[in-house]
Amino acid sequence: RDKLAELHGNMFVEECVKCGKQYVRDAVVGSMGLKPTGRLCSVTKARGLRACRGKLRDTILDWEDSLPDRDLTLADEACRKADLSVTLGTSLQIKPSGNLPLITKKRGGKLVIVNLQATKHDRQADLRIHAYVDDVMTKLMKLLGLEVPEWTGPVVVESAEPARAEQLQGRLKEEKEEPLSHHNGTGTPCPGRGLKQECPSPATGPAPVKKMKVEPLLT
Ligand SMILES: [Zn+2]
């Protein structure tokens, strides 16, 4: 949870208005706009005497709701530390989330925008790919030698694996000669169907993928 910033909520999560405890459910929670879901918090209070019993509400923001502080701070920190921001399937028009990837840029990192239509920050991007996110990610995962896990429902993981990033970099080094070269302005046609991309200059080649900032698709 400390590696994921969900700025606009999550359909599968409900949280206690009293103690802030979040519950990840197997099915969608069923309401929107931070409304009560009808269930109560079951956190046991100190000494195990009785449960919190605070009202649970959904986490999906409505237009006038402000973004959750904790997640916004997390996202901000991640964008500051990242060498590379990748935005997937967003027009980047809504503030403040849409401007977060620009922080990476300002701090010397690179920005990759994947979206079918033009976005607000196209001019700031080192690489723009006008294609379906599924197509791009399928190819990227293949290139990285990673399997796309089948969706079976929300899964809560206890921790992320930091060692993974180093493994990935090793693999990227081995493979960067050929498959990634079409990102490098060398004019190699992309093997995909109708995958269009623009490279502003040959100097802005692919940065090693260390950290990705993935925006939730929920609004
Ligand atoms: Zn509670």
Side-chain angles (χ1 to χ4, degrees):
R1 184 65 182 84
D2 63 333
K3 298 281 184 274
L4 180 67
E6 294 185 305
L7 298 177
H8 304 127
N10 183 320
M11 290 190 293
F12 294 93
V13 174
E14 54 187 339
E15 70 183 6
C16 174
V17 291
K18 232 161 123 187
C19 71
K21 160 96 177 169
Q22 289 195 331
Y23 297 82
V24 181
R25 305 300 189 192
D26 289 333
V28 291
V29 161
S31 66
M32 279 176 70
L34 312 180
K35 291 189 188 72
T37 60
R39 285 173 287 269
L40 296 176
C41 182
S42 55
V43 164
T44 316
K45 281 187 178 172
R47 292 183 204 162
L49 291 178
R50 59 190 191 93
C52 165
R53 294 192 59 79
K55 279 184 181 167
L56 299 186
R57 65 173 188 189
D58 69 82
T59 58
I60 307 287
L61 299 193
D62 213 335
W63 289 105
E64 68 273 13
D65 296 318
S66 50
L67 276 65
D69 276 339
R70 185 172 75 139
D71 294 77
L72 193 52
T73 307
L74 256 177
D76 192 84
E77 277 170 10
C79 289
R80 253 163 234 284
K81 281 192 261 172
D83 304 299
L84 172 69
S85 271
V86 183
T87 74
L88 301 170
T90 162
S91 61
L92 301 170
Q93 295 203 55
I94 308 295
K95 287 193 274 183
S97 356
N99 288 343
L100 284 168
L102 299 183
I103 301 174
T104 305
K105 200 61 196 162
K106 270 186 208 130
R107 304 195 48 110
K110 299 212 162 155
L111 172 62
V112 175
I113 292 177
V114 184
N115 200 45
L116 275 181
Q117 294 84 10
T119 79
K120 201 182 165 193
H121 301 312
D122 276 0
R123 266 182 287 165
Q124 308 255 22
D126 295 286
L127 172 66
R128 279 170 288 166
I129 304 176
H130 298 291
Y132 285 102
V133 170
D134 279 3
D135 291 345
V136 175
M137 286 310 289
T138 305
K139 282 172 211 271
L140 181 61
M141 292 292 270
K142 206 176 159 195
L143 202 67
L144 295 171
L146 296 172
E147 237 177 87
V148 181
E150 200 185 323
W151 165 258
T152 52
V155 179
V156 180
V157 291
E158 286 303 317
S159 64
E161 301 164 52
R164 199 82 199 173
E166 281 153 39
Q167 288 171 12
L168 282 183
Q169 270 183 38
R171 223 176 266 149
L172 262 182
K173 260 182 215 151
E174 288 160 28
E175 289 183 10
K176 79 172 171 197
E177 285 312 315
E178 14 142 6
L180 268 176
S181 61
H182 62 270
H183 283 177
N184 214 359
T186 52
T188 316
C190 179
R193 33 180 173 116
L195 196 75
K196 275 193 268 168
Q197 54 217 345
E198 292 171 41
C199 302
S201 89
T204 55
V209 181
K210 268 192 213 158
K211 284 167 198 140
M212 272 189 191
K213 196 238 146 218
V214 181
E215 256 196 32
L217 292 170
L218 306 167
T219 46

